[in-house]
Amino acid sequence: MPSRKAGRHRRDMAKGAMSAYNIPNDIIVRILSRLPVKSLARFRCVCKPWQSLSPTTDSSPSITTTPSSFTTATAPPLTTSSLSLPHPNPISATNLHHPFPPRLVLSDMDLVGSINGLVCPPLSPHIALWNPQPNSTVTFPHLKSSVSIPSLSRFVLCLMLLGTIIRSLGLFVPSPNSG
Amino acid sequence: MASAPENEKNASAPEKKTLTLKSMINNEEFVVDEHVALQSVTIKNMVDSDCAGDVIPVPTISGEILALVIEYCKNHANPSASEDDLKKADAGIVAKDIYTLIDLVLAANFLDIKGLLEVTSQKIADSIKDLPHQDVREIFGVENDYTPEEEAAVRAEHDWAFEGFP
């Protein structure tokens, strides 16, 4: 990692040699598309063009080839028509060790959203996040049952952006009356 | 096989055609086997359309960077190199400071060498991913066109990403 001082020095040299950097947009996009979501979110602050290059807000994101489905999580509204689960696997679903009452079968549910391979089925009155290949199950704190399912789903999907660690976990949010 | 003007100097080895690449930044010249240089789509197009003279001028790329590009092309033109060898060699070529990497990615882009473009872009991404955005701004020579208020607002949208960053 170059220190800022060294950076400035080197850049001045580079400037002398080949004027200022003029990096074409497609190279910027190429580099940004290889960044983890967290860096990408931070680098939106670099300048306005980078903000629009990095996905998140409504306006047509240019990066469509990022490995993660960053845009999916924040694209409002989340509906079953805008998102799809390519390979629903009821076998994995029934094998899940989850804290829900047994009557709840994941394969019976419509999908609200998905991100990074995790799916978010609406499970009225519950909200669930399900990793089809779970290593473990994490229970969220109980949430108010008055929250509508769509807004809760979006909230949970946003939470999932917080870390890629979540990717390896199965997450479930039971409603207060599930016990 | 275009039978471009034969270079008298190499008449003794006619089966091995060479091209001379010349950095227009510092006038350094590199003599390379044609099949090595042809990994650059830009150079290939020039040769194919008979636009290439004895010396191919390469603007905006320094001799230092051109040497790296040629090293990459030589490695990848070697039919006996294993995938593992190439990976190691690529890693060695891009084990450079961020400013050299930016020069290199621009060179790979200009010369249209897909593999080098890929591996350099990835290395740049790896090098900047844990940096504060202010450093990235400086590295890329990007002007901050946000007002302090605007920047704060954009930052607030993804507060979580700034944990531990200035």
Side-chain angles (χ1 to χ4, degrees):
Chain A
M1 243 22 74
S3 77
R4 298 187 75 173
K5 208 169 172 190
R8 188 168 289 127
H9 173 65
R10 175 62 215 263
R11 193 171 129 211
D12 288 342
M13 277 169 46
K15 268 190 168 164
M18 49 183 294
S19 72
Y21 283 128
N22 188 10
I23 305 177
N25 243 359
D26 57 328
I27 294 190
I28 298 281
V29 171
R30 192 180 278 275
I31 294 167
L32 292 185
S33 67
R34 286 168 167 75
L35 286 170
V37 166
K38 191 176 175 184
S39 312
L40 210 46
R42 224 168 45 247
F43 295 166
R44 295 173 75 239
C45 278
V46 165
C47 61
K48 287 176 184 173
W50 281 38
Q51 185 196 357
S52 51
L53 283 174
S54 318
T56 54
T57 39
D58 41 299
S59 58
S60 60
S62 319
I63 297 175
T64 49
T65 53
T66 42
S68 62
S69 3
F70 197 21
T71 49
T72 304
T74 45
L78 289 172
T79 63
T80 32
S81 57
S82 67
L83 296 151
S84 63
L85 176 63
H87 304 293
N89 188 343
I91 295 167
S92 305
T94 51
N95 287 345
L96 275 179
H97 173 68
H98 64 73
F100 293 114
R103 67 182 163 82
L104 291 165
V105 181
L106 289 168
S107 54
D108 285 345
M109 294 172 300
D110 291 322
L111 186 68
V112 165
S114 76
I115 180 169
N116 280 346
L118 290 162
V119 293
C120 180
L123 189 77
S124 184
H126 312 277
I127 197 77
L129 285 176
W130 166 49
N131 183 341
Q133 291 163 321
N135 299 330
S136 59
T137 301
V138 171
T139 307
F140 263 29
H142 285 199
L143 297 168
K144 291 231 159 58
S145 55
S146 56
V147 182
S148 74
I149 292 294
S151 63
L152 198 53
S153 305
R154 289 187 57 192
F155 165 68
V156 173
L157 281 172
C158 288
L159 274 183
M160 292 166 68
L161 285 172
L162 287 175
T164 44
I165 337 143
I166 300 175
R167 194 181 176 138
S168 60
L169 305 174
L171 291 176
F172 293 94
V173 185
S175 82
N177 51 357
S178 69
Chain B
M1 286 297 146
S3 51
E6 273 300 326
N7 207 334
E8 311 96 71
K9 283 175 279 177
N10 297 313
S12 52
E15 76 282 0
K16 266 224 163 154
K17 266 193 74 183
T18 59
L19 294 171
T20 301
L21 307 182
K22 181 177 179 180
S23 158
M24 299 313 280
I25 298 266
N26 49 8
N27 295 325
E28 233 177 296
E29 290 191 0
F30 297 85
V31 180
V32 285
D33 290 344
E34 190 183 48
H35 77 285
V36 169
L38 290 190
Q39 288 184 73
S40 155
V41 176
T42 307
I43 292 178
K44 186 174 186 305
N45 288 341
M46 286 172 78
V47 170
D48 285 352
S49 56
D50 269 343
C51 294
D54 290 347
V55 175
I56 299 179
V58 185
T60 72
I61 301 177
S62 71
E64 177 203 0
I65 299 298
L66 201 49
L68 290 175
V69 172
I70 291 168
E71 186 186 341
Y72 175 91
C73 290
K74 270 186 187 160
N75 294 338
H76 286 258
N78 175 5
S80 59
S82 75
E83 197 126 310
D84 230 40
D85 293 340
L86 289 177
K87 245 187 176 164
K88 269 191 205 139
D90 287 355
I93 288 173
V94 298
K96 300 288 182 305
D97 68 275
I98 187 73
Y99 297 97
T100 306
L101 290 174
I102 291 176
D103 286 342
L104 188 58
V105 84
L106 292 172
N109 186 54
F110 175 79
L111 292 172
D112 201 349
I113 306 170
K114 197 161 178 286
L116 183 59
L117 192 55
E118 295 288 319
V119 72
T120 314
S121 302
Q122 183 63 54
K123 180 68 180 187
I124 292 175
D126 294 345
S127 307
I128 65 172
K129 72 178 166 55
D130 295 322
L131 295 181
H133 70 278
Q134 295 91 335
D135 285 12
V136 172
R137 195 181 277 152
E138 188 175 314
I139 287 167
F140 284 82
V142 176
E143 194 194 332
N144 180 10
D145 53 358
Y146 285 118
T147 65
E149 295 76 25
E150 285 171 338
E151 187 175 336
V154 175
R155 184 182 175 127
E157 286 172 30
H158 294 283
D159 238 357
W160 55 272
F162 289 87
E163 223 168 86
F165 284 94

